[in-house]
Each structure stands twice: as C-alpha cells, then as structure tokens.
Amino acid sequence: MNFTFKKNERLCSKTIIDTLFENGKFINAYPLRLSFIAYNFPENIQGQVMFIVSKRRLKKAVDRNHTKRLLREAYRLQKQGFYNLNGKKYAMAISFNGKEPLDFDTAKKSIAKIISKLNDQVA
C-alpha cells in the first residue's frame, strides 16, 4: 500500500461535500467525528477525505493548522483501513470536536478508533 496523501485523495468538490453533510452517516469517537457516504469515484481514486477544525473549537490559526497536519499524518499512516471496506468507495470528512490541540498519539488512537467503528458499521 502506498502511504502517500495525494491531491486526488483530498475531498474538494462542493457537490460531494454538500451531499456528504445532507445525506451522510456519522460516527463519533471523541475528539473526532467521521461523516461518510458511499460515492462512485473514477477507477484511479479509492476514496476522498477532508479534515475540518473549527475556529470555534481552536481560536488560534496555528493550533488549527497543527491539528489538521497531525490528523492528515495519522490518516496517511492508517489509510489502508479506510479503503478495505466491502469494495465500496467513500467520501469522508473528519472533523475535530475537542477543546484543546491534539498530540500525535491521541490523533493516531482516535483515527484507529474511527476505523474500527466504521468497519463495524459498514460490515
């Protein structure tokens, strides 16, 4: 498995994002929340994901950017768990709901917890 996080894996489409938040399902694993929906992407795309850290949760831009960077890295290292789900492709949004900035260990554990809950719900 390739452990990169390329441009085609990032969720940028406004229409997919709107569909995701209108019709998607949610999984909570404090301090993260996963929104996901099955979507037909082209053959070369396994799925797409976006990371959200609200200004309401973390006031300083430095903290928001650092938290997003940690979440992207934790996702990048564990992304094979997201792509082995019944052969379907998913559009996902991972949002941060905590009150303090994350450290890397917490980010990795939270992403792993979300993967296990997603596997239970999808299977």
Side-chain angles (χ1 to χ4, degrees):
M1 177 103 207
N2 192 359
F3 288 102
T4 59
F5 186 57
K6 295 189 176 187
K7 175 72 174 161
N8 65 357
E9 295 179 39
R10 297 172 194 256
L11 181 59
C12 300
S13 170
K14 178 96 170 102
T15 56
I16 298 174
I17 293 170
D18 290 341
T19 306
L20 173 66
F21 287 112
E22 288 174 6
N23 303 327
K25 298 178 183 177
F26 302 99
I27 295 175
N28 289 317
Y30 187 81
L32 301 179
R33 179 179 184 173
L34 174 72
S35 308
F36 67 98
I37 190 168
Y39 195 82
N40 277 335
F41 291 108
E43 291 296 322
N44 61 346
I45 300 174
Q46 293 181 331
Q48 291 185 339
V49 65
M50 67 184 287
F51 298 92
I52 304 165
V53 180
S54 172
K55 191 174 184 179
R56 180 181 288 179
R57 299 290 179 178
L58 296 177
K59 301 293 185 195
K60 295 182 180 178
V62 173
D63 292 337
R64 288 193 304 274
N65 292 335
H66 186 256
T67 301
K68 283 189 279 191
R69 192 176 306 122
L70 290 177
L71 289 174
R72 278 193 302 264
E73 181 67 12
Y75 168 80
R76 183 186 70 81
L77 294 173
Q78 301 177 25
K79 72 178 181 178
Q80 71 275 2
F82 285 103
Y83 294 140
N84 298 329
L85 302 170
N86 295 340
K88 292 185 179 179
K89 298 177 180 183
Y90 290 94
M92 300 173 280
I94 299 175
S95 15
F96 176 73
N97 292 333
K99 303 214 186 261
E100 295 179 5
L102 281 179
D103 61 339
F104 187 63
D105 292 333
T106 308
K108 277 181 70 172
K109 289 176 186 173
S110 298
I111 293 286
K113 194 184 309 181
I114 281 180
I115 290 172
S116 67
K117 285 186 176 185
L118 182 62
N119 284 331
D120 292 343
Q121 188 167 353
V122 170

